[in-house]
């Protein structure tokens, strides 16, 4: 219908159309729908006597304005042919003139005259009125129904809220009493076990002081005592150490299971049963607890717990395995270390020049691209790792958060293995020895060791390193004094080395594709893994003392495996 709507009239369109065309301003009082013109009283007198318009039905302008806009804006003249509409096209749902039937509507059928439609309009209008009345009644019915439902809902919510509030007050009165009883029980249990645990802590504190004193005695004897004094003094220290060890072992039933039980406090929320309302119940259970022996590494030498040092008891159990993402060139995973949150960092000593960071399950997190390729890496705390850069004859400390180097130290020769212990970095420089540096890069001293040595590690005040050609594993103190060495059969090329719980040493044989475990005293060793376990080009290895987990680069081109180490 929109094709024959005229422009809507606004408040300014109140002048006589004919007068306006003659630049005369007269107020319009009449509207002729046929002419689509507004007329003043004078023009209307002429309009009604003209032959062409004498039959036109006019409407007072005030009445016309009261019509709905969509009615008053209806056109009666064809814009295309300037003729009055006489026909109605049902196909387009719009009026048209006779000339339109040969142009726009030439393919249409079923035309009706507007006069015939006007005759039918009264009945149709009555039908419209009835339908509107019917719809209005139905809307009013539903409207009233929903208003009543809304009022009823508000009343129900108000009544229910009051009921809930009253019920809550009654429940709280009963729960307050039950709460006091449970808190009283909790206080009694707390006092009982707190006293037991505090006594144990006090005993262990005394024991720690005794062991620390023994350590100090040993250091003083090593530095100042004569051979005679050293022999007799050692017997005295051995006697005191046995006493402390015996006292310590009394805390265990077998292996590392604490004789003293831990306490598990459980609270079970209550419920309503037969109108008996209560807050809940508390259960006290004594449970076994196994100590993971997260001991101070510096105590290891003086307090090794010989009862656990059985090389045959060491077992490996796979925790997870990772296939490392390929690089631009074949990877050469030469070093590895554990980070905070049990994350893993690997150094790729290839032209990829990358460090790779994995999560605790071995899933890839991100890569760090370096200017120079890194050989060995070690975590030194505070979000930083130290790494050796053999081609640059340097070591560098890298901040993993900013990926920026903090410290750079340059040597005369290539540097290979690196480890960290006792707030000291230990770095192997080829043909010179093992340097001891602080975290500012200052060299404190150099331990003279010789041979084809590329991998080192440490525990407490001991250094461990592998020598290949010949194949030997060494253990020395921080002064370079050898404690023990173990020659290996064959030409396995020992590379990666790590120290685990109780001082057991783990060594990778790259050529023979094996993982060995060596006894803490260096007297014997046995094979843990070999080629049948998937070892292809094993190289790097690192041990997590806190979790008793060992990470092994089984294939330096891209396969790592994390093991649980069982004793």
């Amino acid at each position: 219908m929109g094709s024959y709507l005229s422009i809507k009239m606004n408040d300014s369109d109140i002048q006589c159309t004919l007068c306006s065309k003659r630049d005369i301003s007269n107020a319009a009082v009449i509207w002729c729908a046929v002419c689509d013109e507004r007329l003043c009283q004078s023009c209307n007198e002429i309009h009604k006597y003209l032959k062409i318009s004498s039959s036109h039905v006019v409407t007072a302008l005030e009445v016309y304005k009261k019509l709905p806009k969509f009615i008053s804006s209806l056109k009666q003249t064809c814009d295309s042919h300037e003729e009055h509409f006489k026909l109605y096209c049902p196909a387009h749902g719009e009026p048209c003139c006779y000339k339109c039937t040969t142009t726009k509507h030439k393919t249409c059928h079923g035309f009706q005259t507007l006069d015939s439609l006007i005759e039918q309009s009264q009945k149709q209008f009555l039908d419209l009125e009835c339908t509107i009345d019917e719809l209005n009644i139905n809307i009013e019915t539903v409207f009233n129904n929903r208003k009543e439902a809304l009022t009823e809902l508000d009343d129900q919510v108000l009544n229910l809220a009051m009921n809930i509030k009253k019920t809550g007050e009654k429940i709280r009165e009963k729960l307050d009493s039950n709460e006091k009883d449970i808190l009283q029980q909790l206080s009694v249990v707390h006092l009982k076990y707190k006293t037991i645990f505090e006594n144990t802590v006090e005993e262990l504190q005394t024991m720690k002081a005794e062991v620390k004193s023994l350590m100090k005695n040993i250091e003083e004897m090593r530095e100042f005592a004569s051979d005679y004094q050293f022999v007799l003094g050692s017997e005295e220290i051995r006697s005191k150490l046995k006493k402390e060890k015996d006292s310590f072992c009394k805390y265990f039933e077998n292996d590392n299971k604490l004789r003293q039980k831990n306490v598990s406090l459980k609270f079970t929320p209550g419920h309503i049963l037969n109108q008996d309302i209560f807050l809940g119940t508390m259960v006290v259970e004594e449970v076994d607890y196994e100590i993971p022996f997260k001991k101070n590494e510096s105590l290891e030498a003086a307090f090794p717990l010989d009862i656990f040092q059985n090389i045959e008891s060491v077992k490996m159990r796979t925790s997870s395995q990772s296939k490392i993402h390929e690089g631009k060139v074949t990877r050469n995973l030469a070093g590895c270390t554990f980070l905070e949150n049990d994350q893993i960092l690997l150094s790729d000593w290839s032209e990829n020049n990358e460090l790779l960071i994995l999560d605790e399950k071995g899933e890839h997190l991100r890569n760090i691209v370096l200017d120079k390729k890194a050989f060995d890496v070690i975590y030194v705390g505070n979000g930083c790792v130290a790494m050796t850069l053999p081609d640059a004859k340097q070591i560098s400390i890298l901040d993993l958060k900013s990926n920026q180097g903090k410290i750079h130290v340059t040597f005369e020769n290539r540097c290979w293995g690196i480890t960290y212990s006792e707030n000291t970095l230990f770095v192997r420089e080829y043909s010179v020895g093992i340097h001891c540096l602080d975290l500012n890069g200052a060299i404190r001293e150099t331990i003279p060791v010789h041979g084809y040595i590329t991998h080192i590690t440490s525990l407490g005040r001991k250094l461990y390193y592998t020598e290949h050609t010949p194949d030997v594993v060494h253990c020395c103190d921080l002064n370079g004094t050898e404690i023990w060495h173990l020659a290996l059969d064959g030409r396995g090329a020992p590379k990666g080395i790590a120290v685990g719980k109780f001082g057991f040493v783990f060594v990778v044989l790259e050529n023979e594709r094996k993982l060995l475990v060596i006894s803490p005293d260096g007297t014997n060793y046995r094979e843990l893994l070999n080629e049948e376990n998937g070892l292809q080009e094993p190289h790097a290895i690192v041990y997590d003392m806190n979790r008793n987990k060992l990470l092994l680069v089984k294939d330096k081109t891209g396969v790592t495996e994390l093991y649980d180490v069982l004793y």
Side-chain angles (χ1 to χ4, degrees):
M1 300 292 287
S3 62
Y4 60 91
L5 289 176
S6 67
I7 299 174
K8 290 185 178 180
M9 190 169 59
N10 56 46
D11 292 341
S12 64
D13 298 329
I14 58 175
Q15 300 297 314
C16 173
T17 308
L18 297 181
C19 290
S20 296
K21 293 178 180 179
R22 295 177 292 154
D23 295 328
I24 300 173
S25 178
N26 283 321
V29 295
I30 295 297
W31 172 265
C32 178
V34 178
C35 297
D36 194 15
E37 301 284 4
R38 297 182 299 279
L39 305 173
C40 64
Q41 191 63 48
S42 298
C43 292
N44 182 48
E45 289 297 322
I46 299 172
H47 174 267
K48 69 182 180 181
Y49 289 113
L50 290 174
K51 182 178 181 179
I52 193 172
S53 58
S54 60
S55 62
H56 292 182
V57 178
V58 296
T59 305
L61 191 61
E62 293 301 322
V63 175
Y64 175 79
K65 289 181 178 180
K66 294 179 180 180
L67 290 173
K69 291 293 183 182
F70 74 94
I71 297 296
S72 62
S73 59
L74 292 174
K75 280 191 173 184
Q76 297 194 30
T77 303
C78 177
D79 290 335
S80 301
H81 305 106
E82 296 184 351
E83 291 189 0
H84 292 301
F85 293 133
K86 296 295 184 180
L87 301 174
Y88 182 79
C89 175
H92 289 86
E94 62 183 18
C96 61
C97 67
Y98 284 109
K99 288 184 179 179
C100 287
T101 60
T102 62
T103 55
K104 179 181 178 181
H105 297 277
K106 65 181 179 179
T107 60
C108 299
H109 303 282
F111 293 101
Q112 293 177 277
T113 64
L114 288 177
D115 291 339
S116 65
L117 287 177
I118 291 171
E119 291 177 1
Q120 302 172 20
S121 65
Q122 290 299 323
K123 182 179 182 305
Q124 293 175 348
F125 200 76
L126 288 174
D127 290 341
L128 284 174
E129 285 184 315
C130 291
T131 302
I132 290 172
D133 288 342
E134 181 182 287
L135 180 60
N136 184 52
I137 292 171
N138 290 337
I139 291 175
E140 184 68 20
T141 300
V142 176
F143 173 77
N144 292 333
N145 176 270
R146 291 299 86 198
K147 281 196 68 176
E148 292 174 0
L150 179 59
T151 301
E152 183 180 351
L153 174 64
D154 291 341
D155 292 341
Q156 288 187 66
V157 169
L158 180 60
N159 293 333
L160 187 59
M162 293 176 63
N163 190 18
I164 291 172
K165 185 175 181 180
K166 291 179 180 179
T167 303
E169 290 173 354
K170 293 180 180 179
I171 292 175
R172 278 189 289 274
E173 290 176 2
K174 294 188 177 182
L175 292 182
D176 284 345
S177 176
N178 187 223
E179 179 184 354
K180 291 179 181 178
D181 292 341
I182 295 176
L183 290 176
Q184 179 61 31
Q185 294 176 35
L186 184 62
S187 178
V188 172
V189 171
H190 182 213
L191 180 60
K192 173 185 175 182
Y193 287 98
K194 179 180 173 67
T195 301
I196 295 174
F197 291 170
E198 283 181 339
N199 290 339
T200 302
V201 169
E202 186 177 344
E203 293 170 1
L204 290 171
Q205 187 67 36
T206 302
M207 193 177 299
K208 284 174 60 179
E210 289 294 332
V211 172
K212 188 173 182 180
S213 176
L214 291 177
M215 290 177 60
K216 183 178 179 181
N217 291 339
I218 289 176
E219 292 176 359
E220 291 171 344
M221 288 170 56
R222 182 182 289 117
E223 187 170 356
F224 304 112
S226 65
D227 292 342
Y228 173 78
Q229 291 170 327
F230 192 88
V231 171
L232 296 184
S234 296
E235 289 299 321
E236 178 68 18
I237 289 179
R238 186 176 291 107
S239 175
K240 291 180 179 180
L241 180 60
K242 183 178 184 306
K243 177 182 176 182
E244 297 302 327
K245 288 173 62 177
D246 291 343
S247 298
F248 182 74
C249 290
K250 290 178 181 178
Y251 288 103
F252 299 90
E253 293 179 350
N254 50 62
D255 290 340
N256 57 346
K257 181 182 292 185
L258 272 178
R259 187 180 303 277
Q260 186 179 91
K261 309 295 184 182
N262 270 19
V263 179
S264 174
L265 302 179
K266 298 178 181 179
F267 175 74
T268 303
H271 57 277
I272 299 177
L273 182 63
N274 297 327
Q275 303 303 316
D276 183 16
I277 304 172
F278 63 97
L279 183 66
T281 56
M282 188 183 71
V283 178
V284 180
E285 294 181 356
E286 291 189 347
V287 294
D288 291 332
Y289 187 74
E290 294 192 3
I291 296 291
F293 289 107
K294 289 174 60 176
K295 57 183 180 300
N296 185 338
E297 293 178 354
S298 63
L299 293 180
E300 186 274 338
F303 200 25
L305 289 177
D306 296 332
I307 56 174
F308 300 118
Q309 294 185 0
N310 181 358
I311 195 171
E312 298 300 325
S313 68
V314 180
K315 307 292 182 184
M316 307 285 285
R317 181 177 64 197
T318 297
S319 177
S320 63
Q321 187 179 79
S322 301
K323 181 69 174 70
I324 307 303
H325 292 181
E326 293 182 357
K328 295 180 181 179
V329 299
T330 302
R331 294 198 182 279
N332 184 4
L333 302 179
C336 56
T337 187
F338 286 105
L339 306 177
E340 294 174 353
N341 302 322
D342 302 330
Q343 292 180 353
I344 298 167
L345 185 140
L346 305 170
S347 58
D348 181 2
W349 194 47
S350 71
E351 296 306 319
N352 291 309
N353 288 16
E354 289 180 330
L355 300 178
L356 299 88
I357 299 180
L358 316 178
D359 66 15
E360 69 279 6
K361 296 180 181 179
E363 298 294 329
H364 180 265
L365 292 178
R366 65 186 177 103
N367 291 353
I368 300 174
V369 179
L370 305 173
D371 295 334
K372 309 173 185 69
K373 56 186 180 182
F375 178 77
D376 201 7
V377 288
I378 188 70
Y379 184 66
V380 296
N382 297 321
C384 296
V385 293
M387 54 189 174
T388 57
L389 311 169
D391 293 347
K393 302 177 182 178
Q394 288 182 339
I395 67 165
S396 175
I397 296 181
L398 179 72
D399 188 328
L400 296 177
K401 295 178 183 178
S402 64
N403 293 347
Q404 298 296 317
K406 297 175 62 177
I407 302 294
H408 300 281
V409 182
T410 303
F411 301 92
E412 293 183 1
N413 303 288
R414 282 186 159 194
C415 47
W416 296 99
I418 189 168
T419 187
Y420 180 68
S421 179
E422 302 280 318
N423 297 316
T424 302
L425 276 174
F426 299 91
V427 181
R428 165 61 176 164
E429 181 184 3
Y430 178 70
S431 79
V432 175
I434 298 175
H435 298 295
C436 308
L437 300 86
D438 61 27
L439 292 182
N440 292 318
I443 298 177
R444 295 172 179 169
E445 60 179 310
T446 300
I447 301 172
V449 296
H450 303 284
Y452 192 7
I453 300 164
T454 54
H455 291 76
I456 64 175
T457 190
S458 59
L459 178 65
R461 299 185 60 80
K462 293 181 182 179
L463 288 175
Y464 303 80
Y465 54 93
T466 54
E467 179 185 1
H468 31 108
T469 316
D471 293 353
V472 182
V473 180
H474 297 267
C475 172
C476 68
D477 63 21
L478 299 187
N479 295 317
T481 303
E482 187 165 84
I483 299 174
W484 56 260
H485 72 270
L486 178 64
L488 304 176
D489 299 329
R491 302 183 64 83
K495 294 291 179 70
I497 183 169
V499 185
K501 188 176 180 180
F502 311 128
F504 285 104
V505 181
F506 299 88
V507 175
V508 169
L509 301 185
E510 186 175 51
N511 291 349
E512 294 183 0
R513 302 174 179 177
K514 294 178 180 179
L515 174 67
L516 306 181
V517 59
I518 301 174
S519 62
D521 58 5
T523 57
N524 55 79
Y525 67 93
R526 72 180 183 88
E527 182 181 307
L528 288 176
L529 302 173
N530 54 38
E531 191 172 2
E532 294 181 0
N533 303 108
L535 274 65
Q536 294 299 318
E537 292 185 84
H539 193 89
I541 190 173
V542 66
Y543 193 95
D544 186 338
M545 191 71 74
N546 293 334
R547 298 184 297 152
N548 286 325
K549 287 184 179 292
L550 183 141
L551 178 68
L552 170 64
V553 176
K554 297 176 65 175
D555 183 344
K556 64 183 181 182
T557 63
V559 180
T560 68
E561 189 151 351
L562 187 64
Y563 296 92
D564 292 312
V565 183
L566 311 176
Y567 296 91

